[in-house]
Amino acid sequence: MTERDRNWLTLFATGLILLIVYPFFADGYQLTVIRDALIFGLFAASLDFFWGRTGILCFGHAAFFGLGGYVMALITLNGSVPLAGLVGLLGAIAAAALLAAVIGYFLFFGGIRGSYFTIVTLATGVICQQAAISWSSVTGGDSGLIGIPPLEIDFAGIRIDLGQDLASYVFISIIVAIVVLLLWQLSRGRWGKVLTAIQDNEVRAAALGHNASLRLLLTFVVSAAIAGLAGALYVCMAGLIAPDLSGLLLSTEVTVWVAVGGRGTLLGPVVGALVIQRAQQEISSFNPSLWPLILGLLFIVIVFALPDGVLSIFSRLKAIFRKTEPAR
């Protein structure tokens, strides 16, 4: 295990401890704020898994988030579906993965990369948002869908109602921790190494026998599936969904979360989403119009002062302490 892996695991364990002790000091409202921020952190980690490992930015990633949310809403609002919560989650994951597979197949196997891929995915997000607005008979149009029931889990005769603040907080924390850990394991293994090789030189990676287009497609599908899961979880916790959850604004915000947290770290985007969401809550309570200005200034400062994201502060501090240690 490398030192970088040990640092990552240390930060991951620290984050878990903070999540465990937080309910002892927070009220119900604060738990819901962090819970929703964790869902957005999962969404950010899904984008980072693709962008951070391939170097290709998907600027319409909210399309998969919104699609997962709408699928979850439509299934759970239909009272005739048995095990609606579980079916909704699986349907949201499958729908987002299918959309990514269709789009990604034509783009990757068509040789579309870089800024052209970014532009096409941006257009995809705009189309999805417009479809959600126009197909009002199904999606509710501009008003969206409301009254989405919370998740309920029946296990070994025990019924857990995730409509409660503490139960939903614990459930989302567990889901985010498991998914981020699995993505990290996948990224540091052979799959991640091949993606790094493709990012560095796709022609050379193909010459070594790797099917670069297929690797990129599968990574894109996994990323979209997790975004769909995040969207499904969010609408269950919020109880509503609107076209904005698949639009350009959310796609821009998730890109900022990843950049602020540290692209390619998986854990950094979660931290970035938590910090920015929490800051937005506090600042907007004083002056809602002030938040966009502060967010823009924060992004500029991060780009110049911490180009590797706020998570790089940990490694920088370790380097400083090592330099100040007396020589033996």
Side-chain angles (χ1 to χ4, degrees), residues 44-80:
S46 71
L47 175 61
D48 187 42
F49 178 66
F50 178 73
W51 184 22
R53 294 299 163 188
T54 66
I56 304 172
L57 173 60
C58 173
F59 207 71
H61 210 58
F64 307 117
F65 184 90
L67 178 60
Y70 274 107
V71 170
M72 185 68 178
L74 292 173
I75 291 176
T76 53
L77 288 174
N78 186 347
S80 62

Side-chain angles (χ1 to χ4, degrees), residues 158-178:
I158 301 175
R159 184 170 176 269
I160 302 175
D161 183 10
L162 295 180
Q164 300 175 1
D165 297 334
L166 180 59
S168 61
Y169 170 85
V170 172
F171 177 74
I172 294 300
S173 298
I174 292 173
I175 293 295
V176 173
I178 291 175

